[in-house]
Amino acid sequence: MATIVNNSNSPTAPITPPSDPSGPQLKRARPLFDPPIVRRALGDAFRKLDPRVQAKNPVMFVVWVGSFVSTILFLQDLMTHVGGWETAFVGQIALWLWFTVLFAGFAEAIAEGRGKAQADELRKTRTTTLAKKLGAKGDIENVGASTLRRGDIVICDVGDIIPSDGTVIEGIASVDESAITGESAPVIREAGGDRSAVTGGTKVISDGIKVEITANPGETFIDRMIGLVEGAARQKTPNEIALNILIAGLTIIFLLATVTLLPFGRYAGVNISITVLIALLVCLIPTTIGGLLSAIGIAGMDRVMQYNVLAMSGKAVEAAGDVDVLLLDKTGTITLGNRQAAEFLPLPGVSVQELADAAQLSSLADETPEGRSIVVLAKEQYGLRGRHLDEKTTEFIPFTAQTRMSGVNIPGQRVRKGAVQAVIDYVKSNGSSVPAELQNIADDISRRGGTPLAVALNERPLGIIYLKDVVKGGMRERFDHLRAMGIKTIMITGDNPLTAAAIAQEAGVDDFLAQAKPEDKMALIKKEQAEGRLVAMTGDGTNDAPALAQADVGVAMNSGTQAAKEAGNMVDLDSNPTKLIEIVEIGKQLLMTRGALTTFSIANDVAKYFAIIPAMFATLYIGAGQTHGPLWALNFMHLHSPYSAVLAAVIFNALVIIALIPVALRGVPYRPMGAAQVLRRNLAVWGLGGILVPFPFIWLLDQILVLLHCAPAQ
């Protein structure tokens, strides 16, 4: 099997490793009720009263129709001068039904407003930029960034704003991407690799690069981000569509049941008003989840964006909540990506102090993470510090791909460090022998998943430096966390199977794919999907694009190639592959929030039922001298009158939507647990709560209505 192309950080310029993966870090969080967002949402809520908008939501459209009919009945009563409690009652029902529709629109507008606020911030990053366009004859002219087209070549020097999205075709530079990601640390962008993509609006802060433009005006990454965070491209997900069908079905059932009560009441001699029937229908249909469903989906995309992840659709966020398998690249995701010196293993007859001394000498000019770690290990474990070499008599030997060695020549000492076979060949070429123990030690390190580096002093082998690919802190705990959620983790690496097995065991992943080629990744994803599982993976290279497109959740790194970003359905602006774990948790939280509020919505209809039904049939089978019939005994909350009971239930139905907006936006508290546990928790907390909570509040509203003379006491 061939070795996979390494998509880790470029070896030419080390990049700061991702933050500690032990916990997520919000970067774009904003207050739940930000005053500018609330002001905008209030206006949008009134605009959403348009029946053409309401018709898209069957449940709220029924409430809208009920509000309209109640308003007509109230106006008729006023015009016919009926007056009295009945007219006031109809007017109050109509008012609170309009509030119900308005509050549902406000919940959706608040969720949309958070996205629009992010879009406004992104628009501020777009400035009128001049670009140094390279002409066909090599001449440079200053042109406006808006005139650039796909295929144009521009020069970006220190301090220049990159005018549009593109690919670095020449040079290497540090780029400040804080305008896009919010992260202050610069990143390296260079030609010929998986870190060649640059984003318009970012700033070059060192060196210079030549960039080929890859997007026409209006098609740049920022333009796409603005459109997405505003929700213009948000489509209903399959789960959301299924839930809409369920609540629409419940609405139809309750509509039919309510309609039949009118002839039943007339037959029994009970005069049931149209207003009370409308109130009963609105209180029985799942208006709470109907009003909050859209807000929950929009808020899910917003929470992903708070983690600097751009979701191309709500479907991607929802799919993340159903993921069964995670494919994670080893280098830079599970491990730090930079091998660290862990131990000095001398040959027989060589002291470890001598080996450490030679290893440190050979690494003093080595600025790679591996070289620096060797110097630190020798200093910390063997007290070797304060080494000063005379520049005039010292010759440092740089590492090259041809020699696969580096080292130093000082008077009387020639130290070499490098790949085991390269050092063996070097020693033998100078007429010296190599003990068999050297290869035995190297083989043992390889079996443990490490990398051996041999050290020789004056053509005499001294021993081996054990380099270890360090697993990030907290990864085993995080994989245990995922396992508790029922998610299988698979590590993908280009390492040989022995090395891969050692790292997989240390990290605690469930399985691994060694020496993985692009077609191997695709085959693995298809195999898992064929068995009915949903698969998520991260990637940043062109060779990852097919697998990203095949995966149910494909998270492309913003630092990666354009092909990878177009293939995935999410883009991580921080280019931190471990973010996939947070994305899965957000997706599960979205599904749990939707399930919890659906359970609550259906359950609290029970309390409203016991408030309205006794009121409707209070005069059924009434005896002489009685004010209420025997069915009024169902009024165990001791509500004062039929008027106050119905009105209190309608008011509670409206106010509960406002009360649950924070839950819809923030999501229910998430804890890893299986599906059966989630169901039990929903029934115990949200189901039982949905039944019990309305009773005291409806009773309290009834008391307030009577106290304020908004409803008769009898």
Side-chain angles (χ1 to χ4, degrees):
M1 298 177 70
T3 302
I4 193 171
V5 176
N6 189 347
N7 294 326
S8 60
N9 296 341
S10 168
T12 57
I15 297 194
T16 305
S19 57
D20 181 5
S22 59
Q25 295 182 355
L26 291 180
K27 296 184 180 180
R28 293 180 180 269
R30 60 178 68 251
L32 193 61
F33 292 106
D34 201 10
I37 294 177
V38 171
R39 286 194 294 270
R40 175 186 282 180
L42 285 172
D44 290 344
F46 281 98
R47 283 187 283 272
K48 288 179 183 292
L49 293 176
D50 186 330
R52 292 169 296 182
V53 176
Q54 294 298 322
K56 298 176 182 178
N57 187 331
V59 177
M60 298 316 300
F61 183 65
V62 169
V63 181
W64 185 93
V65 172
S67 307
F68 183 78
V69 173
S70 299
T71 303
I72 296 298
L73 293 174
F74 173 67
L75 293 176
Q76 283 181 342
D77 285 352
L78 288 180
M79 292 174 64
T80 56
H81 307 289
V82 173
W85 279 112
E86 289 82 359
T87 301
F89 172 74
V90 174
Q92 291 180 82
I93 291 292
L95 180 65
W96 281 103
L97 290 182
W98 282 119
F99 277 142
T100 303
V101 180
L102 190 67
F103 292 162
F106 178 73
E108 184 176 8
I110 279 284
E112 291 173 345
R114 292 163 71 86
K116 290 176 182 177
Q118 291 173 347
D120 291 341
E121 290 181 3
L122 289 170
R123 286 192 180 94
K124 293 176 184 178
T125 67
R126 298 196 298 191
T127 58
T128 303
T129 306
L130 287 178
K132 301 172 185 175
K133 182 180 176 182
L134 188 64
K137 298 180 180 180
D139 55 312
I140 297 177
E141 60 174 323
N142 290 324
V143 300
S146 60
T147 66
L148 294 174
R149 295 292 184 273
R150 189 190 302 268
D152 288 344
I153 307 295
V154 297
I155 304 296
C156 298
D157 297 317
V158 177
D160 288 347
I161 301 294
I162 296 174
S164 185
D165 294 358
T167 300
V168 179
I169 59 175
E170 185 178 312
I172 179 172
S174 295
V175 177
D176 177 6
E177 295 186 342
S178 58
I180 305 298
T181 67
E183 180 60 54
S184 59
V187 295
I188 300 298
R189 295 289 176 260
E190 59 182 330
D194 292 335
R195 298 191 176 273
S196 59
V198 290
T199 305
T202 57
K203 184 178 182 179
V204 177
I205 58 176
S206 77
D207 304 290
I209 49 178
K210 185 185 291 186
V211 177
E212 179 180 349
I213 302 301
T214 58
N216 293 322
E219 300 174 358
T220 65
F221 190 62
I222 290 183
D223 292 317
R224 196 158 43 136
M225 286 175 65
I226 291 171
L228 287 168
V229 299
E230 283 185 321
R234 196 190 90 84
Q235 298 178 345
K236 290 184 178 179
T237 63
N239 185 285
E240 191 174 350
I241 292 172
L243 187 54
N244 268 313
I245 294 172
L246 171 64
I247 60 179
L250 290 174
T251 301
I252 293 173
I253 292 171
F254 284 121
L255 177 62
L256 294 174
T258 304
V259 168
T260 60
L261 288 176
L262 185 61
F264 174 78
R266 288 182 177 176
Y267 175 80
V270 178
N271 183 25
I272 303 175
S273 70
I274 300 296
T275 304
V276 171
L277 285 175
I278 291 173
L280 174 65
L281 175 62
V282 169
C283 288
L284 289 185
I285 63 177
T287 50
T288 305
I289 187 61
L292 295 174
L293 186 59
S294 182
I296 293 169
I298 297 170
M301 293 183 68
D302 177 68
R303 283 198 296 275
V304 170
M305 188 61 189
Q306 289 178 21
Y307 286 85
N308 269 357
V309 176
L310 180 63
M312 303 304 180
S313 69
K315 182 179 179 181
V317 182
E318 183 181 286
D322 283 327
V323 160
D324 303 296
V325 179
L326 286 186
L327 303 185
L328 298 156
D329 186 43
K330 184 204 76 172
T331 306
T333 304
I334 295 173
T335 65
L336 292 175
N338 299 320
R339 297 169 299 175
Q340 304 289 308
E343 191 177 357
F344 297 118
L345 302 170
L347 288 170
V350 178
S351 70
V352 68
Q353 189 78 21
E354 183 182 7
L355 173 59
D357 181 74
Q360 188 184 61
L361 276 175
S362 66
S363 304
L364 289 177
D366 187 349
E367 290 301 319
T368 64
E370 293 90 343
R372 291 196 295 269
S373 72
I374 293 170
V375 173
V376 170
L377 181 64
K379 179 175 68 175
E380 291 182 348
Q381 290 197 4
Y382 302 99
L384 299 174
R385 60 184 74 238
R387 310 292 291 270
H388 298 288
L389 301 177
D390 188 348
E391 294 183 3
K392 296 180 180 179
T393 59
T394 301
E395 178 190 7
F396 289 107
I397 311 298
F399 175 87
T400 66
Q402 290 75 27
T403 64
R404 295 189 298 157
M405 290 191 305
S406 62
V408 62
N409 291 336
I410 57 178
Q413 291 183 304
R414 297 177 301 281
V415 186
R416 295 293 183 270
K417 172 197 72 181
V420 175
Q421 190 58 50
V423 172
I424 289 174
D425 294 341
Y426 165 76
V427 170
K428 288 183 177 179
S429 68
N430 286 279
S432 300
S433 61
V434 178
E437 288 86 350
L438 187 72
Q439 189 63 55
N440 293 338
I441 296 173
D443 291 343
D444 180 63
I445 290 174
S446 296
R447 282 191 292 271
R448 286 190 279 166
T451 301
L453 287 183
V455 178
L457 174 62
N458 295 335
E459 293 78 45
R460 179 173 70 97
L462 297 181
I464 297 289
I465 305 170
Y466 175 18
L467 294 181
K468 185 178 179 182
D469 200 355
V470 180
V471 174
K472 291 180 179 178
M475 290 307 295
R476 176 174 284 276
E477 290 74 16
R478 300 198 79 182
F479 290 138
D480 290 341
H481 184 88
L482 289 168
R483 199 170 293 110
M485 295 157 52
I487 296 175
K488 178 182 178 182
T489 52
I490 301 177
M491 182 184 76
I492 300 176
T493 177
D495 291 337
N496 63 68
L498 285 175
T499 301
I503 295 295
Q505 183 178 10
E506 182 179 355
V509 295
D510 297 312
D511 204 349
F512 65 89
L513 178 65
Q515 295 176 329
K517 301 188 295 292
E519 52 268 31
D520 297 328
K521 299 177 187 178
M522 279 282 289
L524 177 60
I525 292 173
K526 289 181 178 179
K527 174 179 175 293
E528 295 290 344
Q529 290 173 332
E531 295 174 0
R533 301 185 183 95
L534 267 66
V535 180
M537 77 161 287
T538 61
D540 59 0
T542 301
N543 65 329
D544 291 324
L548 286 170
Q550 179 66 36
D552 300 285
V553 180
V555 183
M557 301 297 101
N558 189 39
S559 61
T561 61
Q562 190 67 24
K565 288 191 279 188
E566 290 177 355
N569 49 24
M570 292 189 188
V571 177
D572 178 16
L573 303 181
D574 292 332
S575 300
N576 179 1
T578 62
K579 197 79 68 67
L580 185 57
I581 298 174
E582 273 77 50
I583 293 170
V584 169
E585 292 180 350
I586 292 170
K588 286 194 174 293
Q589 186 183 41
L590 184 150
L591 295 177
M592 289 176 65
T593 302
R594 190 179 291 160
L597 293 186
T598 300
T599 304
F600 182 88
S601 177
I602 294 174
N604 70 21
D605 290 341
V606 175
K608 291 176 284 186
Y609 175 89
F610 278 101
I612 295 180
I613 290 297
M616 291 178 62
F617 296 100
T619 57
L620 185 63
Y621 308 127
I622 189 169
Q626 294 179 327
T627 57
H628 301 304
L631 288 182
W632 190 245
L634 294 175
N635 178 28
F636 59 87
M637 286 188 286
H638 302 293
L639 304 180
H640 284 85
S641 70
Y643 291 105
S644 64
V646 173
L647 190 54
V650 171
I651 293 174
F652 173 82
N653 193 67
L655 295 180
V656 75
I657 294 177
I658 288 290
L660 290 175
I661 287 178
V663 179
L665 296 183
R666 287 178 177 160
V668 299
Y670 171 75
R671 284 178 289 180
M673 58 181 70
Q677 290 177 290
V678 171
L679 178 60
R680 286 196 297 269
R681 181 171 178 265
N682 270 356
L683 292 176
V685 177
W686 297 96
L688 187 60
I691 293 174
L692 297 179
V693 167
F695 288 113
F697 282 99
I698 290 176
W699 178 85
L700 181 62
L701 287 168
D702 177 80
Q703 304 294 317
I704 294 173
L705 288 172
V706 174
L707 186 65
L708 297 177
H709 303 289
C710 295
Q714 296 294 333

